[in-house]
Amino acid sequence: MDQLTNTPAWRALAAHRAELGDVRMRAQFEADPGRFERHTLRAAGLFLDYSKNRIDDRTLPLLLALARERGLDGARAAMFAGRRINNTEDRAVLHVALRNRSDTPIEVDGKDVMPAVREVLARMGEFAEAVREGLWRGYTREAITDVVNIGIGGSDLGPAMVCQALATHGHPRLRMHFVSNIDGDHLAGVLAGLNPARTLFVIASKTFTTIETMTNAASARKWFLAGGGSEADIARHFVAVSTNAERVAAFGIDLANMFGFWDWVGGRYSLWSAVGLPIALQVGRARFEELLDGAHAMDRHFVEAPLEANMPVILGLLGVWYRGFFGAGSLCVAPYAQALARLPAYLQQLEMESNGKSVTRDGQPVDAATCPVIWGEPGTNGQHAFFQLLHQGTDLIPVDFIAPLAAGHGLPDHHRLLLANCIAQSKALMVGKSADEVRAELGAAGMAGEALEALVPHRVFPGNRPSNTLLLPDLSPAALGALIALYEHKVFVQSVIWGINAFDQWGVELGKQIASRIGAELAGEPLGAHDASSRGLIEMARDALA
Ligand code: F6P
C-alpha cells in the first residue's frame, strides 16, 4: 500500500486544509441555516451532532475519498467474513459474532462459530439467573451477595464500566466488585468487607497467565480457605472466564464452572463474550441480551449505511482529520453522566491499545500521526478542573460530549442543569468570545480605560474549538451497547486509514518481560546488567522489601 501522505486523497486533504485556513465555525453557522441538519445522524437509537467541526462542504467528500482509497469497504467486509485480519497473530477478529442476533452464520476457516457462541451465552445466562435467584448458593447454603471479578485490561475495564453504567438495573442483593491492580491494597480493600460464604469470585483472563490476575486469584483463594471455606467448596465460589482450559484446571477451578471464549475475541473487545459474566450477573440475562442487541444494531448500521451517513465512519474520519491536519494530539471524552465515569478509561484501552502504533500491517513506518491520547472525566466535574485548558489553552483538543436525554434518578432539576451544561460547553468552545465582546461586557459592568484593557486578553476565548455531541435516549443496556460498538468501529475505521493492525498489542510485552526479571531480583536473585538508574531503584526497593 502507498505511503499514506503520498496518496492522492491525503494530498487533496492537505491542500484543502491550507485553503480552509482559520474559517470560523461561528460564521459558518451564521451563513448556513442547514448546517445542523446536514451534519447530524441517527443510528441504532443514537444521535450524533457533528456540525461543530472545522469542516466545510468539501471536507467530508475528501475524507470519504480517503476512506475509499484506503479500502475501508473491503477491510470491513473482511472483518465480518471472519478473515484473519489480525495478521501478526494470525487470527480472525469476530467480536461482532458475539452479538450477532440474526440467523446468519459467521464462519472462521469454514466453520460457523455461532452455535458455540450461543451455547456459551445460554450457559452464562443460566448461571447468572441461578445466582440472582438465590439457587446457586455458597458453602453455608446462603445466597451469594457479593461478586468479585478478578481480571485486568480487557478482562476488567469493559465489565467494570458497563456494571457501573447499568447500576440502576442491578439486582438488589448483589454487589459487584472489580479487582485488577497487583497492588495488594486493591484486593485487600475489596475483601475487607466481605464474607467468604456469600462471595463468588469470577477469575477472568483470556490467557490465564496474566501475572496480576493470577496473583490476585491465588490470594483470593487463600482468603477464602482461611475464612472457613474448604477445597471442596471452591467449586461453588470460583468460576473462570478464559480461552485456556488447561490453565484453568491447573489453577483448581472445576471446568464445569469455566465459561469459554475464543482467540478471535480480542481482550479489549471481549465484554460481549463470557467476559461480560459480571454484567449478566448484575442486570440479568435479558438485559445482557439487550446490550448485545444494541451493539448488533450498530454493527448493522456500520455494514449497511452508505459511508457518508455512517456514524462510525464519520467519527473515525473526523478523528483522522484533526490528528493529521491540525496536529491534535489528544481527544477529550466528556460523558455528561456520572454512571459513565469509567467510559474514558475503557476507551483509553480500546483506542490506544488498538491504534497506538507506528508501523503499518506490513511493518513499514506509518508516515502520519496515529492514535491521539484519549482522556476525560464526567461533566460537569471536568468543567471545574481541566476545561480551562480546553477553552483557553494553547492546544486544539477536540471533545466528544456524550449525554443521555432521559435520566432515571427522579431529580429532573439536576438533569436539566446537566444537559444545559453539556450543550453550553460545546457552544462556548465553538463560538468563543472576541475582544470586542469582552470590552462591551466589561463596559456594561461599569469598567473603563486601562483597567478594562488590562483584563481583555485574559477574558478572550479563541473559540473555533471542535466537538461532537452524542445523545443517547437514556442509559439503557441497548443504548450503551450501541455506544460501545460505535467506538469499536470508529477505531477500526481509523486503523484502516492509518494502515495499522488494530488487534495486536506487542507494545505491552517489553515492560512485562523486564518486570518479570526485576521481580526475581527483588526476590533475592543476583542483579543482572542494568543501567545506573534502574539498578539504583532496584537496590532501594530490595532494601525496603528486606
Ligand atoms: O497486557 C495487555 C493485555 O494483554 C490486554 O490486551 C488484555 O486485555 C489484558 O492484558 C488482560 O489479558 P488477559 O485477559 O489474558 O488476562
Side-chain angles (χ1 to χ4, degrees):
M1 196 174 251
D2 274 357
Q3 283 287 66
L4 177 58
T5 59
N6 273 337
T7 57
W10 191 274
R11 288 207 302 266
L13 278 160
H16 171 60
R17 169 70 190 96
E19 271 166 39
L20 205 57
D22 195 28
V23 165
R24 312 286 299 172
M25 286 184 271
R26 190 174 170 171
Q28 289 175 312
F29 273 103
E30 279 160 12
D32 175 8
R35 186 174 172 90
F36 175 73
E37 292 300 327
R38 281 204 318 288
H39 297 105
T40 50
L41 275 179
R42 285 177 197 277
L46 308 188
F47 178 82
L48 168 67
D49 170 14
Y50 62 99
S51 62
K52 292 191 184 96
N53 276 295
R54 298 208 15 202
I55 55 175
D56 71 10
D57 283 347
R58 293 164 299 166
T59 316
L60 274 182
L62 290 171
L63 285 166
L64 290 164
L66 178 68
R68 291 195 180 94
E69 212 171 276
R70 301 297 282 178
L72 178 59
D73 280 325
R76 183 183 51 185
M79 176 166 74
F80 279 79
R83 298 251 304 279
R84 292 177 180 267
I85 62 170
N86 176 355
N87 61 317
T88 63
E89 295 179 313
D90 192 25
R91 289 175 182 167
V93 175
L94 274 181
H95 42 281
V96 294
L98 301 166
R99 66 240 187 172
N100 172 20
R101 313 291 288 158
S102 71
D103 296 333
T104 318
I106 298 186
E107 293 185 352
V108 175
D109 299 333
K111 186 169 179 261
D112 182 10
V113 298
M114 289 314 300
V117 167
R118 290 195 194 100
E119 194 259 329
V120 174
L121 183 61
R123 278 186 57 225
M124 276 171 73
E126 277 160 31
F127 177 73
E129 291 306 326
V131 172
R132 287 163 60 82
E133 286 165 24
L135 302 172
W136 179 284
R137 292 172 177 259
Y139 65 87
T140 58
R141 309 307 300 155
E142 289 173 271
I144 299 295
T145 55
D146 293 88
V147 176
V148 182
N149 187 80
I150 295 182
I152 197 165
S155 299
D156 167 75
L157 288 163
M161 181 270 286
V162 173
C163 282
Q164 189 179 39
L166 301 181
T168 54
H169 300 282
H171 190 283
R173 195 188 65 247
L174 286 179
R175 287 179 296 267
M176 314 303 296
H177 311 270
F178 290 85
V179 175
S180 52
N181 203 327
I182 191 102
D183 181 349
D185 269 344
H186 204 177
L187 182 69
V190 165
L191 296 185
L194 304 189
N195 177 345
R198 297 198 299 264
T199 300
L200 173 72
F201 291 95
V202 178
I203 314 298
S205 175
K206 179 173 171 181
T207 54
F208 234 71
T209 58
T210 305
I211 187 77
E212 290 90 339
T213 302
M214 293 302 104
T215 306
N216 279 323
S219 298
R221 185 170 56 183
K222 273 192 205 139
W223 171 87
F224 175 76
L225 295 173
S230 70
E231 288 285 348
D233 298 327
I234 284 188
R236 303 208 62 75
H237 290 267
F238 284 76
V239 301
V241 171
S242 187
T243 58
N244 192 339
E246 215 174 295
R247 293 258 183 180
V248 169
F251 181 85
I253 294 180
D254 188 343
L255 288 188
N257 299 336
M258 171 179 157
F259 298 87
F261 58 113
W262 307 272
D263 73 355
W264 42 260
V265 182
R268 53 194 172 275
Y269 299 88
S270 65
L271 72 87
W272 323 100
S273 72
V275 170
L277 185 61
I279 306 170
L281 284 161
Q282 180 179 259
V283 301
R285 177 177 16 205
R287 288 208 169 97
F288 183 71
E289 292 194 7
E290 285 166 27
L291 183 82
L292 303 183
D293 291 341
H296 180 63
M298 184 56 73
D299 294 342
R300 296 318 311 154
H301 167 79
F302 181 46
V303 169
E304 288 161 10
L307 296 190
E308 56 276 15
N310 196 306
M311 210 181 264
V313 173
I314 299 291
L315 269 192
L317 290 176
L318 287 168
V320 169
W321 174 233
Y322 291 118
R323 190 73 184 108
F325 300 95
F326 291 75
S330 83
L331 169 70
C332 175
V333 178
Y336 275 65
Q338 191 59 33
L340 292 177
R342 292 296 283 161
L343 182 68
Y346 169 80
L347 292 178
Q348 281 176 336
Q349 188 198 16
L350 177 64
E351 301 221 12
M352 293 159 77
E353 205 175 63
S354 296
N355 284 338
K357 295 166 190 167
S358 20
V359 294
T360 59
R361 301 171 58 77
D362 48 9
Q364 301 304 311
V366 185
D367 68 337
T370 62
C371 187
V373 173
I374 309 294
W375 61 285
E377 276 288 320
T380 60
N381 294 1
Q383 292 173 204
H384 300 275
F386 54 78
F387 268 57
Q388 162 67 40
L389 182 148
L390 296 180
H391 286 287
Q392 288 188 315
T394 48
D395 288 328
L396 178 93
I397 302 181
V399 184
D400 281 0
F401 291 95
I402 301 169
L405 282 171
H409 47 55
L411 298 166
D413 290 350
H414 291 239
H415 200 57
R416 178 170 45 77
L417 290 169
L418 182 78
L419 291 178
N421 273 276
C422 178
I423 299 164
Q425 289 299 326
S426 74
K427 174 168 179 155
L429 285 165
M430 188 268 284
V431 296
K433 195 184 279 182
S434 68
D436 284 345
E437 286 168 324
V438 174
R439 283 191 189 96
E441 203 174 85
L442 294 179
M447 273 187 107
E450 271 180 29
L452 180 151
E453 283 305 324
L455 264 187
V456 168
H458 300 280
R459 300 189 60 150
V460 164
F461 288 71
N464 221 19
R465 302 201 162 191
S467 65
N468 297 305
T469 299
L470 268 163
L471 298 177
L472 284 60
D474 51 19
L475 261 184
S476 63
L480 185 62
L483 179 72
I484 300 166
L486 168 64
Y487 276 94
E488 286 179 347
H489 294 319
K490 169 209 148 172
V491 166
F492 178 70
V493 168
Q494 295 188 331
S495 75
V496 173
I497 304 293
W498 290 323
I500 285 172
N501 174 6
F503 303 106
D504 60 13
Q505 55 284 319
W506 299 107
V508 302
E509 294 303 327
L510 178 59
K512 284 187 196 173
Q513 280 167 9
I514 299 177
S516 150
R517 205 169 75 221
I518 294 178
E521 291 168 350
L522 291 183
E525 281 191 14
L527 289 199
H530 288 287
D531 58 275
S533 162
S534 306
R535 187 179 189 89
L537 296 171
I538 292 167
E539 282 168 353
M540 286 184 72
R542 274 228 284 216
D543 289 349
L545 292 164

